[in-house]
């Protein structure tokens, strides 16, 4: 799409969206559409398929959610509210965390129109999800494996009337774990539908999927492969491994009042860290996504849609090599996170004690509670999935 169109469009109304959705964006404080929304939505509203090369944080969820909701509302007005079509759209995501975030955005945008959305992801009770399916949601957001599970085993659940399919982070949906499930899903949904495919990279497999699933798609490119948004401040700090927790607590305390995401290397480290932080009265929830992403995906979880954010990499003596690779990948040297070590180490005693207590607690519950991803973690996520309104705000981004 050329510059000409971008210059003309600076409001959601200009994108051709209906008033309810323009109001919903306004209600969320979305003042103007992001680049990818400007490029995608007018085509999608016209009924075109989309293929988008978009980085996380670019506003891509809005880019596919808004046209789907627009179409849903059109059906409402044509058919009357009571016959609002159930199972109207399916969004496939490679991880449950992303699925939750996508569903949150659908729910936020659809809050004024009684939108029903179900999240079907692994690690959460099947029955709870069957109840959600029984409510005949308009939108299903799920991971491929769990969706196939429901399509096979949940009585009365079918996607034969589906109108929209979204393949989000398609490059990651096409890994070996999901390929079979994806095929199974594509075989039971109508061919006559709209399809939006978003991917961070355009691999051979993505191109193959595009040929198989999309009809004359409009191509949108919102970012280069390894770019990060300009509003993201990136820093690093070399630290001795033995002081890592201490530095982290120092930074989180410095940033208190902000929402932070801490990435660790293993599920166990995630659980331990959340216990340590809770011990120090820092509210924390462990989420184990079994993800193997690189740096770009992780830092892209902040500074989304024009807002600012900070990503700090704590690098110990054993991780130096990886850090240098990251600098190569993003093509720049990052500034150092400024902190006086003496000041950081004032926290050492309390952090060490919190760690000792947390390790003891983990040891105590380890035998019975330890499952893939951690039962307690799943409970936390499950509780979150079951709760709407007030509590879900905790998860919203800054
Ligand atoms: P994503 O869709 O993953 O790229 O994330 C975009 C983030 O920015 C989400 O937290 C959205 O709530 C937010 N967002 C999306 N579109 C806009 C917009 N036009 N203006 C401001 N924030 C937005």
């Amino acid at each position: 799409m050329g510059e000409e169109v971008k210059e003309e469009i600076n409001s959601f109304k200009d994108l051709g969206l209906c008033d309810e959705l323009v109001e919903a964006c306004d209600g969320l404080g979305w003042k103007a559409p992001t680049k990818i929304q400007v490029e995608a939505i007018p085509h999608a509203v016209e009924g075109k398929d989309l293929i988008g090369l978009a980085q996380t944080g670019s506003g891509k969820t809005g880019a596919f959610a808004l046209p789907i909701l627009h179409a849903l509302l059109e059906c409402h007005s044509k058919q009357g509210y009571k016959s609002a079509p159930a199972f109207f759209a399916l969004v496939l995501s490679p991880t449950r965390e992303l699925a939750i975030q996508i569903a949150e955005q659908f729910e936020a945008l659809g809050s004024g129109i009684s939108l029903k959305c179900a999240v079907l992801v692994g690690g959460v009770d099947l029955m709870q999800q069957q109840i959600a399916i029984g409510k005949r949601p308009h939108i299903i957001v799920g991971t491929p494996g769990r969706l196939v599970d429901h399509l096979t085993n949940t009585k009365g659940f079918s996607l034969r009337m589906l109108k929209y399919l979204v393949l989000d982070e398609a490059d990651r949906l096409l890994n070996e774990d999901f390929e079979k499930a994806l095929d199974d899903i594509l075989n039971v949904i109508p061919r006559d539908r709209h399809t939006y495919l978003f991917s961070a990279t355009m691999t051979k497999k993505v191109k193959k999927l595009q040929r198989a699933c999309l009809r004359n798609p409009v191509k949108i490119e919102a970012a280069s492969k390894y770019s990060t948004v300009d509003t993201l401040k990136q820093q690093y700090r070399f630290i001795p491994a033995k002081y890592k927790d201490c530095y982290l607590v120092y930074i989180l305390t410095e940033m208190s009042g902000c929402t932070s995401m801490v990435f660790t290397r293993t599920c166990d480290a995630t659980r331990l860290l959340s216990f340590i932080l809770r011990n120090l009265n820092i509210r924390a929830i462990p989420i184990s996504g079994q993800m193997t992403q690189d740096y770009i995906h992780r830092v892209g979880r902040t500074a989304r849609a024009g807002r600012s954010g900070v990503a700090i990499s704590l690098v110990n003596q054993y991780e130096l090599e990886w850090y240098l690779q990251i600098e190569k990948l993003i093509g720049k040297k990052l500034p150092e996170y400024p902190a006086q070590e003496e000041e950081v180490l004032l926290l050492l005693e309390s952090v060490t004690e919190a760690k000792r207590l947390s390790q003891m607690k983990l040891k105590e519950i380890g035998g019975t509670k330890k499952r893939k991803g951690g039962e307690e973690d799943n409970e936390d996520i499950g509780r979150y999935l079951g709760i709407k309104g007030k509590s879900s705000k905790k998860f919203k981004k800054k």
Side-chain angles (χ1 to χ4, degrees):
M1 216 178 185
E3 288 301 314
E4 197 190 318
V5 179
K6 271 181 261 165
E7 271 168 23
E8 280 170 17
I9 295 176
N10 42 36
S11 76
F12 284 99
K13 182 91 191 147
D14 296 337
L15 297 178
L17 293 169
C18 54
D19 291 344
E20 289 93 331
L21 293 174
V22 175
E23 275 168 35
C25 295
D26 197 44
L28 292 180
W30 295 7
K31 294 199 171 53
T34 64
K35 184 170 180 278
I36 188 139
Q37 290 164 359
V38 168
E39 296 197 354
I41 294 174
H43 294 296
V45 166
E46 271 178 26
K48 301 254 171 59
D49 280 3
L50 299 177
I51 175 150
L53 210 56
Q55 70 189 92
T56 181
S58 58
K60 69 182 157 101
T61 315
F64 62 71
L66 285 165
I68 290 174
L69 294 175
H70 178 87
L72 185 71
L73 277 168
E74 278 197 331
C75 289
H76 278 204
S77 56
K78 276 185 207 143
Q79 300 171 10
Y81 178 68
K82 285 211 169 96
S83 58
F87 310 121
F88 188 72
L90 166 67
V91 184
L92 288 176
S93 139
T95 68
R96 55 183 178 181
E97 291 78 14
L98 183 62
I100 292 167
Q101 285 176 18
I102 294 169
E104 270 189 346
Q105 283 203 48
F106 266 103
E107 282 173 355
L109 289 167
S111 62
I113 55 169
S114 311
L115 185 80
K116 284 185 283 180
C117 196
V119 182
L120 307 181
V121 293
V124 178
D125 182 43
L126 272 168
M127 187 96 91
Q128 195 182 327
Q129 294 177 350
Q130 281 166 344
I131 294 170
I133 291 171
K135 291 184 181 155
R136 304 183 56 73
H138 306 107
I139 314 289
I140 301 267
V141 187
T143 46
R146 180 55 66 100
L147 189 83
V148 169
D149 205 341
H150 281 293
L151 283 168
T152 318
N153 301 314
T154 299
K155 232 174 136 210
F157 176 44
S158 119
L159 293 175
R160 278 194 301 269
M161 301 305 285
L162 193 79
K163 297 284 183 284
Y164 284 80
L165 170 69
V166 181
L167 301 160
D168 196 18
E169 304 209 352
D171 44 357
R172 297 174 59 209
L173 276 175
L174 286 165
N175 71 21
E176 277 168 28
D177 290 348
F178 293 142
E179 244 167 336
K180 162 92 177 58
L182 202 55
D183 263 357
D184 291 350
I185 295 165
L186 292 173
N187 281 335
V188 296
I189 60 175
R191 278 178 179 276
D192 188 16
R193 55 157 204 264
H194 302 281
T195 308
Y196 304 151
L197 184 156
F198 285 84
S199 187
T201 54
M202 199 45 67
T203 61
K204 271 189 191 153
K205 281 186 178 179
V206 174
K207 280 188 190 148
K208 197 171 155 209
L209 183 68
Q210 171 195 341
R211 283 193 295 273
C213 288
L214 279 75
R215 286 175 306 194
N216 300 325
V218 175
K219 193 170 177 193
I220 298 138
E221 196 161 337
S224 71
K225 190 173 165 191
Y226 292 125
S227 71
T228 48
V229 289
D230 298 338
T231 49
L232 172 69
K233 184 163 144 193
Q234 300 172 77
Q235 295 171 316
Y236 78 96
R237 178 80 187 203
F238 291 141
I239 45 151
K242 62 181 174 183
Y243 296 150
K244 199 167 209 170
D245 297 326
C246 203
Y247 266 91
L248 177 67
V249 172
Y250 175 84
I251 291 169
L252 291 177
T253 315
E254 287 282 292
M255 306 255 173
S256 62
C258 300
T259 308
S260 301
M261 257 189 194
V262 183
F263 289 95
T264 64
R265 246 184 327 135
T266 62
C267 298
D268 284 347
T270 309
R271 300 185 77 209
L272 175 63
L273 184 61
S274 67
F275 281 14
I276 296 174
L277 296 178
R278 286 174 189 180
N279 247 306
L280 293 164
N281 289 326
I282 299 173
R283 282 163 57 204
I285 180 170
I287 301 180
S288 301
Q290 334 271 330
M291 292 187 269
T292 53
Q293 295 163 339
D294 64 19
Y295 182 75
I296 306 294
H297 277 97
R298 291 181 174 188
V299 299
R301 296 287 157 196
T302 186
R304 292 155 92 86
R307 282 168 299 168
S308 58
V310 187
I312 305 166
S313 301
L314 294 180
V315 186
N316 70 30
Q317 62 270 38
Y318 311 109
E319 297 161 342
L320 192 62
E321 197 51 43
W322 293 337
Y323 179 73
L324 296 176
Q325 280 178 23
I326 288 171
E327 277 196 342
K328 243 193 207 166
L329 183 78
I330 56 179
K332 56 182 170 194
K333 290 231 169 286
L334 300 181
E336 189 182 33
Y337 175 79
Q340 295 291 335
E341 187 147 292
E342 308 87 75
E343 220 177 290
V344 175
L345 294 186
L346 291 176
L347 296 169
L348 188 59
E349 201 177 317
S350 49
V351 174
T352 308
E353 179 59 6
K355 190 169 184 175
R356 190 183 66 80
L357 294 171
S358 305
Q359 279 167 331
M360 267 169 50
K361 184 171 175 196
L362 269 181
K363 219 173 179 183
E364 261 171 45
I365 62 174
T368 48
K369 288 259 174 174
K370 218 166 173 184
R371 281 199 208 157
K372 199 178 174 192
E375 185 175 284
E376 236 185 35
D377 312 351
N378 287 338
E379 269 173 26
D380 279 336
I381 294 169
R383 213 176 307 133
Y384 164 63
L385 283 171
I387 296 171
K388 299 229 168 102
K390 257 190 193 164
S391 321
S392 64
K393 285 213 171 66
K394 277 192 287 186
F395 273 72
K396 296 252 160 73
K397 292 265 167 281
K398 298 137 272 183

